[in-house]
Amino acid sequence: MWSLMVRSPDAEMQEVLLKEGKNILGRSPDVDIVIHDDSASRYHAQIEFTLNNNHLILQDLNSTNGTYVNGKQINESQMLTHQDQIRVGRHLLTVISSESRQKVNDNKDKTKSIVTGDLMMKSIDNYAVLLHDIGYQLINIPELDKAFAKITETIRLMIGADDCLIVLQDQADDLVKYGVSPETIQEVIKQNSATIFTSERIRSDSSDLTRKRNRSMMLVPVTIEDVVCALIFVTKTQNPFGFSQDSDLQLVIAVSHQVALSIQRNRVEEELLHNAYHDSLTGLANRAMLLDRLRHSFQRGKRNPGYLFAILFLDIDNFKIVNDSLGHATGDKLLIAFSERLVDNLRKMDAVSRYDRIARFGGDEFAILLDDIANEQDALRVATRLNEILAEPFYIEGKEIFITSSIGITINTMGYDTPDDMLRDADIAMYRAKELGKSRVEIYDAVMHNLLMSRLSLETELRKAMQNQEFRLHYQPIINLQTLKIVGMEALLRWHSPRGIIEPPEFFAALDTSGLINYIDLWALDYACKDVAKIQEAFPMDPPLYVSVNISANFVRSHETIEILDDVLKKSKITTDALHLEITERVGLKNEEATLELLKVIQERGIHLCLDDFGTGYSTLSYLLQFPIAGLKIDRSFVEMMTSEPKGYRIIESLKSLATPLGMSLIAEGIETEKQLNMLKEMGIEYGQGYLFAKALEIDRALQFIQDNLNQKPSALPGKAASI
């Protein structure tokens, strides 16, 4: 006798006994085997059963979507055999021979292992439509447990199972309580094979799955890139028959592919979600996650006015020096060690905060949320203690590295409307800590707010000043102290604001922090070179009168520096020796090697480099030995001290003894009295500038000064010029 096992992903499996003669199947209610599937035709196909020769012949009845046997569409009548798979739409019909079924049931083997390699591909081909249908449904089920529930229900319906479970590989031992031996579990995982077996171990205290005897069981591995990541476990009462390895097993193996895709998608989504909210280097939360957690704190604070929380904003002091001197790889390892120390030590202070979250905002910036604190002093105590702990040495690749950090704190009692506002003010407090000497803790307050508002207002004014062309270059003459004749001019920036003329000390820091300094550098170079070209045309001299321009550290570090200088010289048509560049010691503090190479290229162009304020900052003799410096400027503080203290005189003498052997010229700044002038001349200082000669003059008055100076007798002090 022959029968069909009719399987549908939407209904319980049923067995239909075939009658002798023609058996019509389709969607019409008057056929022998009704297929409730929109993809089936009303009269889809027929199976003719001939009793005398026990033959089954399948024929498609010109159906719309075709009839498939074992994954292939039939075009002509086809003889069927036991376990052949017929697909009509989403329905699967397995041909069952009662004689063959009996042989399977009489088989005494308890376990059958089947390698899944080729069988997996065959199974996927045979059940392609089913898999597509399952996959389409799973698209809208991102949660893994819900996806598993959908897949297990499909398996149960399709093969008539009593129960079906999907367990992840690390939970595989849980199957022991359902009657699966640990050896069977390990064999399936190790061999990456599927198996059908009968449970021999029944425990009276176990679940309903194992109380019934004579249960057929199936264990199918789920693999991703040949690694078992999960197991599908199916159970079924053996009577009247157990699982079929040619149909039931193939179907479950095919469905295991969808399980693998669900797990893989879940892993990718988890990874994407983790990456979206975590820092890739340290594994800490990132800004997005901290903001999310901070929003929860804000919501709780609105419900409970007494609820307190704080933000600690940390920044490693001078971290760029570590990167520049030891390399970025070492810098990254230091950041990892820094974050680990933060986590370990904050955990020890958990009593302070009910909940905390450490985040890295990028670079060397970190933030900590202290939630549900008792008072402001709790936050201050944590920050102070962390600062002490972080100042202890780090050991990276055998190197002992000392660093410090500046920490800004803000509390929600300041009346913030948004988390971003709170983070902004913690950042401001951190920068205030840096301004006050670094390696310290500052709490944001109204004073800082006022300072910030003043700074922002000044930056706005400066931007408007650039648009309105309120910046000017004034020129202070540089005099040969022996002949008292002009040799050059220093271009000095002045802001002609509606409030009057403002000098750089009042606004230079705002130019630097706002980034406007980069534009000022270019503008000053361009205008100074154009002005000196006019002066040289009006007063031809040999050597030509030069202009000295102050440039920022940012300009020297720019990769466009040489190109900019070449362009400015070309447009102004002045010779390179008519341009002197004044740099400060800060230029060489970062990345000395790269800076040195750039300065050498500038020197090779014939442009003179002069070191300004030498000896007042971080500079050492190594600057003079390494950098291609043509001249040194003696700071006005030494010139002023020279006439009142012997120390000032000795400092200038020392500078003279350093510069002369190295072929460097000396220019004294801030000369205001004849006594200072005479002392400098006696020491052999070649050049000077100051109010004794002239203030910084606008271009028209500078031209007049040059004319007057050149017309005066040699060695005559240009007294009138001082009042111009």
Side-chain angles (χ1 to χ4, degrees):
M1 298 296 294
W2 295 89
S3 60
L4 294 178
M5 301 301 299
V6 182
R7 311 166 189 271
S8 165
D10 302 322
E12 294 280 357
M13 183 182 73
Q14 59 176 320
E15 185 173 6
V16 178
L17 190 66
L18 293 177
K19 66 181 182 180
E20 185 179 6
K22 294 181 179 179
N23 297 265
I24 307 297
L25 56 92
R27 190 158 42 85
S28 176
D30 61 349
V31 299
D32 301 292
I33 305 170
V34 180
I35 305 295
H36 299 286
D37 192 325
D38 291 340
S39 299
S41 299
R42 288 175 56 82
Y43 301 97
H44 196 99
Q46 71 174 25
I47 300 175
E48 186 172 356
F49 170 32
T50 306
L51 184 59
N52 60 357
N53 57 12
N54 201 31
H55 282 177
L56 286 185
I57 304 296
L58 173 67
Q59 181 180 355
D60 183 78
L61 300 178
N62 296 319
S63 63
T64 302
N65 296 313
T67 305
Y68 295 78
V69 176
N70 299 328
K72 297 180 180 179
Q73 185 174 2
I74 63 169
N75 297 314
E76 299 177 354
S77 299
Q78 181 166 329
M79 183 177 291
L80 301 174
T81 61
H82 178 67
Q83 294 287 7
D84 277 347
Q85 300 282 308
I86 305 169
R87 178 171 66 77
V88 176
R90 294 165 57 242
H91 280 61
L92 298 170
L93 299 86
T94 304
V95 179
I96 302 296
S97 164
S98 57
E99 181 181 357
S100 299
R101 174 192 292 172
Q102 187 61 43
K103 289 179 181 179
V104 172
N105 289 341
D106 291 341
N107 193 325
K108 302 301 180 183
D109 293 339
K110 296 297 182 183
T111 302
K112 301 174 183 176
S113 293
I114 301 168
V115 178
T116 62
D118 295 336
L119 185 57
M120 171 67 81
M121 298 307 299
K122 178 181 177 183
S123 303
I124 292 174
D125 288 342
N126 290 348
Y127 298 97
V129 174
L130 171 67
L131 296 180
H132 179 271
D133 181 67
I134 295 174
Y136 183 78
Q137 296 180 56
L138 293 179
I139 288 175
N140 298 317
I141 308 179
E143 300 88 351
L144 197 58
D145 55 345
K146 293 182 180 180
F148 282 0
K150 172 64 181 176
I151 293 173
T152 54
E153 179 62 12
T154 298
I155 292 174
R156 192 186 66 78
L157 293 173
M158 294 289 284
I159 64 177
D162 296 329
D163 290 284
C164 179
L165 297 172
I166 300 174
V167 296
L168 297 175
Q169 196 270 345
D170 58 356
Q171 301 168 343
D173 291 341
D174 292 349
L175 295 177
V176 172
K177 64 184 179 183
Y178 300 123
V180 185
S181 69
E183 293 77 17
T184 301
I185 295 171
Q186 292 306 313
E187 183 68 17
V188 169
I189 293 174
K190 182 179 179 181
Q191 300 296 331
N192 191 11
S193 62
T195 182
I196 298 174
F197 59 97
T198 302
S199 175
E200 297 178 343
R201 192 160 68 100
I202 310 298
R203 288 167 46 188
S204 60
D205 61 340
S206 60
S207 68
D208 291 339
L209 284 174
T210 57
R211 287 177 184 165
K212 299 176 183 179
R213 295 182 177 275
N214 301 320
R215 296 184 67 80
S216 182
M217 298 186 177
M218 184 189 305
L219 199 58
V220 175
V222 178
T223 63
I224 297 176
E225 296 180 353
D226 297 327
V227 176
V228 176
C229 62
L231 296 171
I232 303 176
F233 174 62
V234 193
T235 65
K236 179 180 183 179
T237 305
Q238 281 191 337
N239 295 323
F241 56 88
F243 290 122
S244 163
Q245 73 179 51
D246 289 336
S247 56
D248 297 335
L249 183 62
Q250 280 196 40
L251 188 145
V252 176
I253 289 174
V255 174
S256 73
H257 180 67
Q258 286 295 349
V259 178
L261 291 178
S262 294
I263 293 173
Q264 197 166 25
R265 183 180 68 179
N266 183 263
R267 287 179 177 177
V268 170
E269 289 175 349
E270 284 185 350
E271 184 177 357
L272 290 174
L273 187 64
H274 182 275
N275 292 342
Y277 287 99
H278 289 81
D279 173 54
S280 59
L281 178 66
T282 64
L284 295 176
N286 61 11
R287 185 186 184 93
M289 177 172 276
L290 189 77
L291 280 171
D292 182 68
R293 179 60 210 172
L294 194 51
R295 290 187 191 99
H296 289 291
S297 299
F298 265 77
Q299 291 169 3
R300 185 169 181 180
K302 289 178 181 178
R303 295 192 300 268
N304 180 6
Y307 188 75
L308 296 181
F309 54 93
I311 288 290
L312 277 57
F313 205 103
L314 295 81
D315 185 271
I316 300 175
D317 299 326
N318 300 321
F319 179 72
K320 195 171 189 311
I321 294 178
V322 175
N323 271 342
D324 291 343
S325 58
L326 301 179
H328 288 275
T330 300
D332 286 349
K333 290 177 181 178
L334 178 60
L335 289 172
I336 293 170
F338 184 90
S339 64
E340 289 172 349
R341 188 176 291 184
L342 274 179
V343 172
D344 292 343
N345 286 280
L346 194 61
R347 190 176 295 133
K348 296 173 184 176
M349 293 183 269
D350 275 348
V352 173
S353 171
R354 181 187 62 82
Y355 181 91
D356 56 64
R357 172 74 70 185
I358 306 174
R360 179 181 176 227
F361 280 13
D364 56 332
E365 291 184 339
F366 296 80
I368 300 173
L369 167 63
L370 295 179
D371 215 351
D372 197 12
I373 58 177
N375 50 52
E376 183 180 286
Q377 292 303 312
D378 278 349
L380 183 60
R381 189 161 50 251
V382 170
T384 303
R385 179 60 184 143
L386 285 177
N387 230 14
E388 294 171 355
I389 293 168
L390 295 170
E392 296 172 2
F394 289 86
Y395 296 91
I396 310 294
E397 296 180 333
K399 298 182 180 69
E400 188 178 47
I401 302 175
F402 287 89
I403 59 171
T404 59
S405 56
S406 298
I407 303 178
I409 303 174
T410 188
I411 315 292
N412 64 310
T413 52
M414 293 290 292
Y416 294 107
D417 294 324
T418 67
D420 287 297
D421 291 341
M422 192 170 181
L423 281 174
R424 177 203 62 207
D425 287 353
D427 191 12
I428 291 169
M430 181 273 292
Y431 274 105
R432 182 61 176 163
K434 284 188 177 293
E435 290 173 357
L436 294 176
K438 303 180 181 178
S439 187
R440 58 185 293 146
V441 177
E442 287 294 322
I443 299 178
Y444 185 82
D445 57 18
V447 174
M448 286 186 197
H449 179 79
N450 293 336
L451 287 173
L452 173 67
M453 292 299 101
S454 297
R455 182 185 298 171
L456 291 176
S457 176
L458 179 57
E459 288 183 6
T460 301
E461 284 189 68
L462 289 171
R463 293 183 189 278
K464 290 181 179 178
M466 290 186 64
Q467 294 174 357
N468 298 335
Q469 299 181 354
E470 294 175 5
F471 288 111
R472 301 280 192 278
L473 286 181
H474 289 198
Y475 297 93
Q476 186 170 44
I478 299 173
I479 304 296
N480 182 316
L481 298 185
Q482 303 304 320
T483 65
L484 297 182
K485 293 299 181 182
I486 187 170
V487 293
M489 298 177 298
E490 180 180 1
L492 296 169
L493 183 65
R494 296 293 184 265
W495 177 13
H496 287 237
S497 81
R499 293 174 285 145
I501 297 177
I502 303 175
E503 297 191 4
E506 295 187 38
F507 61 85
F508 187 82
L511 282 179
D512 196 12
T513 56
S514 65
L516 294 174
I517 189 65
N518 300 322
Y519 300 99
I520 291 295
D521 279 333
L522 299 179
W523 174 84
L525 270 171
D526 187 52
Y527 267 77
C529 289
K530 288 178 180 177
D531 283 346
V532 80
K534 296 176 184 176
I535 292 171
Q536 289 179 355
E537 184 178 358
F539 303 102
M541 298 168 58
D542 186 22
L545 190 143
Y546 69 85
V547 65
S548 186
V549 183
N550 294 276
I551 56 173
S552 70
N554 285 352
F555 180 78
V556 176
R557 297 190 195 106
S558 170
H559 63 277
E560 299 177 344
T561 299
I562 300 300
E563 183 180 346
I564 291 170
L565 289 172
D566 288 344
D567 184 58
V568 167
L569 290 169
K570 182 179 179 181
K571 287 192 297 184
S572 64
K573 299 180 181 179
I574 66 172
T575 57
T576 56
D577 60 349
L579 175 61
H580 291 199
L581 298 180
E582 293 192 21
I583 59 175
T584 64
E585 305 145 358
R586 291 182 58 198
V587 167
L589 285 179
K590 299 179 180 179
N591 201 356
E592 286 192 10
E593 185 176 346
T595 302
L596 176 60
E597 291 302 317
L598 181 62
L599 294 180
K600 285 181 178 178
V601 175
I602 293 175
Q603 181 201 41
E604 290 169 359
R605 290 288 200 279
I607 299 172
H608 287 235
L609 291 169
C610 188
L611 188 59
D612 197 9
D613 301 332
F614 181 77
T616 61
Y618 301 96
S619 58
T620 64
L621 183 59
S622 64
Y623 278 77
L624 303 184
L625 297 176
Q626 292 182 55
F627 294 161
I629 303 299
L632 294 179
K633 299 201 81 171
I634 302 172
D635 188 72
R636 66 177 60 247
S637 61
F638 299 145
V639 173
E640 183 179 357
M641 190 190 308
M642 178 179 61
T643 56
S644 59
E645 297 182 37
K647 182 169 59 176
Y649 189 89
R650 288 196 294 269
I651 289 174
I652 297 177
E653 276 192 325
S654 299
L655 292 177
K656 173 69 175 175
S657 64
L658 283 174
T660 301
L662 297 174
M664 298 178 185
S665 61
L666 283 172
I667 303 172
E669 294 182 299
I671 304 173
E672 297 185 359
T673 68
E674 290 191 42
K675 184 177 180 181
Q676 292 171 344
L677 171 62
N678 292 331
M679 291 178 71
L680 291 168
K681 289 171 67 174
E682 288 174 5
M683 281 190 283
I685 305 301
E686 301 102 316
Y687 307 104
Q689 61 190 92
Y691 283 8
L692 180 64
F693 310 115
K695 297 179 180 180
L697 309 169
E698 292 190 65
I699 184 63
D700 291 340
R701 292 192 175 187
L703 288 167
Q704 183 63 51
F705 176 90
I706 296 170
Q707 183 174 345
D708 292 345
N709 178 263
L710 294 178
N711 290 335
Q712 286 175 341
K713 296 179 181 180
S715 301
L717 183 66
K720 292 183 180 180
S723 62
I724 293 178

